């Protein structure tokens, strides 16, 4: 469907831009993934950019959804600042890989201008010029050792071209796009490894796609083809142009920092809650440990990316600086992925794996010990379908059982499963609605069984597990059990509020009694960090004294949103 061009930068323009950029990266993803040489031939640059933008777009959509009905039932839309902050935050928490981390900082830099307080709104062409400059400068500052011939060069060229142009947002966006496209074509002359491979920078290629979407947002016109490789005529300075798909054998670079000779063995990425001073010290420590260091974010929340040989020390450095979470450690392989032209021997796929979404670090550890590949869902930050697809790929199995563990993730998980099937992976989606149902399913998982039999057994175990949670109400609301006030303790059984109370332990006991009235053999309790220390012992005693032949098992869930998860099977 044709987009209606935006005349100035408002919340709708942010939404339109994110949607168009996501579509553009979706079209270019395979091209970018398939051709990747510098410094790690891991073939995921396009996917990382896509997943980062998908997270940003989802956050913007959530803000719009919250404004669909305003006071008095009138429809409304969010302010520019709200949409821009959502875009930046979504990109930050969803950033994947080096390229995605830098893209997140570019979007954050633009937001710092677009959402700035002041009498003069930055919604016209002059505001867009300022935003592009702030984006380029902040991204360069985030990289420990900037290298020319990367996305940083492309971003700077876009900002330079925008600053030299007068006009409305469409005019400025087009100038930035053309400047970026010219800079992208020049990257093989700036970075020797690109010149030898006859290619342009991957991160820069992705940024050109994002800027092309910005042009379309304000003009309604789709920019033309992009220079992606230099072919055999590179020494003569002639680049060939292809359309949406690169020719086989072309390559794109993936990193914006100078790699150490040979290259470290691990990529470490995590979100970090920390103060500015602690992050400054962390930068110095991680810079001494490895290379490709990028630290982006601010206001207490950061995204840290580094390549190291000692992944444990990199994580420990984060612990000393603050509270790291969503920790992802990727082993690059047997040392050959840092060598241009070398190919990794393909790793043999396992026959079957389980991929599960879990709400807390404690449960992530439990699921991992049981052999599952996990995706951590923070409160208010559900994973996008792309993250689930990545987890399925990471499991590296011919057959995958997918456990969403949340009723709200049903459609997201279904989309991920469908995508994985197109890649030749056999995927069965078990519609688990709580992590305790996932635990029950995982307990009966037997990889040696036929796939269909295993799925039926796991589905039956999950379906036979009633689930509940105890949480604190954030606002006044009408529920199935009556009106609750902010701060009330809520007991939800099978997704509906069944008990409203003022005491966590008493509410939990009431919920447990309701569940056991229908019988049960095993009670599973998953304690959140903020649950009272005594609640588990109290509930265990209650079961032991009042319900014969019923066992209880207790796990620590960490920061899982709910104070307590309860399963009865």
């Amino acid at each position: 469907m044709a987009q209606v061009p935006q005349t100035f930068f408002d919340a709708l323009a942010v939404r339109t831009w994110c949607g168009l950029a996501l579509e553009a990266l979706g079209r270019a993803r395979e091209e970018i993934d398939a051709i990747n040489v510098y410094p790690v031939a891991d073939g995921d640059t396009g996917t990382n950019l896509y997943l980062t933008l998908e997270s940003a777009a989802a956050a913007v959509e959530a803000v719009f959804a919250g404004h669909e009905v305003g006071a008095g039932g009138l429809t409304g839309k969010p302010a520019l600042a709200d949409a821009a902050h959502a875009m930046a935050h979504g990109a930050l928490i969803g950033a994947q890989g080096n390229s995605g981390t830098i893209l997140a900082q570019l979007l954050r830099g633009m937001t710092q201008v677009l959402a700035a307080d002041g009498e003069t709104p930055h919604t016209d062409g002059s505001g867009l010029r300022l935003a592009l400059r702030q984006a380029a400068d902040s991204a360069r500052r985030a990289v420990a050792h900037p290298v020319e011939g990367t996305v940083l060069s492309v971003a700077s060229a876009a900002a330079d071209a925008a600053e030299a142009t007068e006009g409305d947002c469409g005019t400025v966006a087009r100038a930035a796009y053309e400047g970026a496209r010219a800079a992208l074509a020049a990257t093989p002359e700036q970075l020797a490894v690109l010149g030898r491979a006859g290619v342009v920078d991957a991160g820069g290629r992705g940024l050109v796609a994002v800027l092309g979407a910005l042009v379309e947002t304000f003009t309604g016109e789709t920019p033309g083809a992009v220079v992606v490789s230099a072919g055999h005529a590179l020494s003569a300075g002639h680049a060939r142009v292809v359309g949406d798909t690169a020719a086989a054998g072309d390559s794109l670079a993936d990193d914006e920092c100078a790699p150490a000779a040979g290259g470290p063995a691990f990529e470490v990425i995590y979100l970090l809650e920390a103060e500015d001073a602690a992050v400054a010290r962390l930068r110095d420590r991680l810079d001494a440990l490895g290379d490709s260091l990028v630290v982006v974010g601010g206001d207490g929340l950061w995204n840290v990316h580094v390549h190291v040989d000692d992944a444990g020390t990199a994580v420990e450095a984060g612990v000393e600086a603050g509270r790291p979470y969503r920790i992802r450690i990727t082993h690059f392989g047997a040392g050959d992925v840092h060598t241009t032209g070398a190919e990794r021997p393909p790793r043999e796929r396992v026959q079957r794996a389980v991929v599960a979404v879990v709400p807390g670090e404690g449960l992530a550890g439990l699921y991992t010990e049981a052999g599952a590949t996990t995706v951590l869902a923070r409160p208010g930050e559900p994973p996008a379908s792309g993250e689930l697809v990545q987890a399925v790929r990471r499991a590296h199995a011919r057959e995958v059982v997918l456990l969403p563990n949340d009723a709200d993730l049903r459609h997201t998980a279904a989309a991920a499963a469908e995508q994985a099937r197109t890649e030749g992976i056999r995927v069965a989606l078990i519609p688990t609605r709580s992590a305790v149902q996932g635990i029950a399913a995982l307990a009966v998982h037997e990889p040696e069984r036929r796939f269909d039999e295993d799925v039926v057994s796991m589905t039956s175990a999950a379906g036979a597990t009633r689930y509940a949670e105890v949480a604190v109400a954030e606002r006044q609301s009408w529920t199935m059990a009556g009106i609750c006030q902010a701060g009330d303790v809520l007991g939800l059984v099978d997704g509906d509020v069944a008990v409203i109370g003022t005491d966590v332990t008493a509410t939990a006991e009431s919920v447990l009694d309701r569940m056991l009235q229908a019988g049960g053999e095993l009670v599973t309790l998953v304690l959140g960090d903020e649950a009272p220390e005594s609640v588990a012992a109290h509930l265990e005693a209650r079961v032991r004294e009042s319900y014969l032949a019923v066992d209880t098992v207790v796990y620590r869930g960490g920061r899982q949103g709910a104070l307590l998860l309860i399963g009865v099977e």
Side-chain angles (χ1 to χ4, degrees):
M1 181 189 302
Q3 296 286 339
V4 177
Q6 304 299 306
T7 56
F8 56 91
F9 230 126
D10 61 0
L12 186 57
V14 173
R15 184 188 202 183
T16 303
W17 180 31
C18 286
L20 291 172
L22 188 62
E23 291 176 6
L25 288 174
R27 291 191 298 269
R29 180 182 64 81
E30 292 184 2
E31 164 199 315
I32 300 173
D33 278 348
I35 43 180
N36 172 24
V37 297
Y38 171 72
V40 181
D42 50 359
D44 62 359
T45 305
T47 297
N48 287 338
L49 290 168
Y50 180 86
L51 291 176
T52 303
L53 215 296
E54 182 184 45
S55 182
V60 173
E61 288 301 321
V63 168
F64 269 84
H67 283 75
E68 285 181 354
V69 179
L74 298 177
T75 58
K77 70 175 183 178
L80 170 60
D82 294 334
H85 280 306
M87 173 183 70
H89 181 73
L92 178 66
I93 65 174
Q96 303 277 328
N98 193 74
S99 53
T101 305
I102 292 176
L103 176 60
Q105 188 66 6
L106 288 166
L107 296 179
R108 177 179 173 82
M110 291 192 69
T111 294
Q112 288 172 333
V113 173
L114 296 174
D117 296 329
E119 297 181 1
T120 304
H122 298 297
T123 60
D124 58 3
S126 62
L128 181 54
R129 289 198 300 270
L130 293 173
L132 290 167
R133 172 50 62 196
Q134 176 65 12
D137 292 348
S138 63
R140 189 171 287 271
R141 289 192 297 268
V143 176
H145 301 286
V147 173
E148 297 307 322
T150 66
V151 66
L152 300 177
S153 304
V154 176
S156 294
D160 291 343
E163 286 181 331
T165 302
E166 296 290 337
D168 59 14
C169 286
T171 302
V172 172
R174 186 175 294 282
Y177 171 79
E178 295 297 343
R181 193 165 71 155
L184 177 67
T187 55
E189 300 172 7
Q190 295 176 288
L191 199 55
V193 65
L194 302 183
R196 289 193 297 271
V199 301
V200 297
D201 175 67
R205 169 68 180 91
L207 179 57
V208 169
V210 172
L211 289 174
L214 188 64
V215 174
E216 188 174 356
T217 298
F218 290 112
T219 68
E221 301 172 3
T222 304
V226 178
V227 175
V228 296
S229 65
H232 299 291
L234 177 65
S235 59
H238 301 295
R240 60 189 176 91
V241 179
V242 301
D244 289 336
T245 305
D250 294 343
S251 298
L252 299 179
D254 181 44
D255 205 279
E256 326 313 328
C257 317
F266 297 96
E267 177 185 59
V268 178
I269 306 173
Y270 49 80
L271 292 179
L272 177 69
E273 294 176 356
E275 300 298 326
D276 290 4
V279 172
R281 294 191 295 271
L282 175 66
R283 289 178 192 269
D284 291 339
R285 183 171 181 190
L286 292 180
D287 192 27
L289 285 176
D291 60 43
S292 296
L293 173 61
V294 185
V295 181
V296 304
D299 301 320
L301 180 62
W302 309 82
N303 191 306
V304 179
H305 170 282
V306 68
H307 294 176
V308 293
D309 281 319
D310 189 345
T313 300
V315 175
E316 289 173 3
V319 173
E320 292 177 6
R323 198 185 75 82
Y325 61 97
R326 282 198 180 182
I327 300 167
R328 298 190 298 274
I329 300 174
T330 302
H331 186 253
F332 286 130
D336 55 341
V337 294
H338 290 276
T339 305
T340 300
E343 295 184 359
R344 282 181 289 184
R347 179 163 61 95
E348 181 66 23
R349 288 184 180 272
V350 299
Q351 183 59 34
R352 190 175 308 158
V354 176
V355 173
V357 180
V358 292
E361 295 91 342
L363 280 178
L366 173 67
Y367 272 74
T368 300
E369 288 176 7
T373 298
T374 62
V375 178
L376 185 61
R378 298 275 297 165
E381 301 173 5
S385 63
E387 290 182 73
L388 301 188
V389 173
Q390 283 287 79
V392 170
R393 292 171 180 153
R394 197 166 67 245
H396 204 64
R398 299 183 182 91
E399 302 167 339
V400 170
V401 180
L402 182 57
L403 306 175
N405 291 339
D406 186 338
D408 292 336
L409 288 178
R410 182 176 68 256
H411 297 302
T412 300
E418 188 60 34
Q419 173 60 39
R421 292 182 187 118
T422 66
E423 299 176 10
I425 303 171
R426 189 179 185 187
V427 181
L429 171 60
I430 298 179
T432 49
R433 295 173 289 175
S434 171
V436 292
Q437 289 189 323
I439 291 173
L442 199 56
V444 300
H445 169 53
E446 291 186 14
E448 294 78 17
R449 277 193 299 222
R450 289 179 56 247
F451 185 64
D452 292 339
E453 292 177 356
D454 198 26
V455 171
V456 169
S457 178
M458 295 176 71
T459 302
S460 297
T465 302
R466 282 158 287 153
Y467 66 97
E469 67 177 74
V470 177
V472 177
E474 296 181 354
R475 64 183 68 87
Q476 183 186 63
S477 181
W478 173 261
T479 75
M480 296 292 290
I483 298 176
C484 71
Q485 305 295 328
D488 283 348
V489 180
L490 306 180
L492 295 87
V493 179
D494 292 336
D496 293 322
V497 176
V499 180
I500 300 175
T502 57
D503 179 76
V504 173
T505 301
T507 302
E509 180 179 320
S510 179
V511 168
L512 184 56
D513 284 341
R514 284 172 178 255
M515 298 178 75
L516 286 173
Q517 284 175 2
E521 299 177 354
L522 176 65
V523 172
T524 301
L525 304 175
V526 183
L527 298 177
D529 277 350
E530 298 181 2
E533 286 294 328
S534 61
V535 66
H538 180 87
L539 295 178
E540 284 185 287
R542 175 67 176 173
V543 171
R544 187 168 55 250
E545 295 167 3
S546 303
Y547 302 95
L548 298 177
V550 177
D551 295 323
T552 304
V553 60
V554 180
Y555 300 111
R556 295 282 177 177
R559 295 187 63 181
Q560 61 184 22
L563 297 174
L564 176 68
L565 301 178
I566 304 174
V568 174
E569 52 186 295

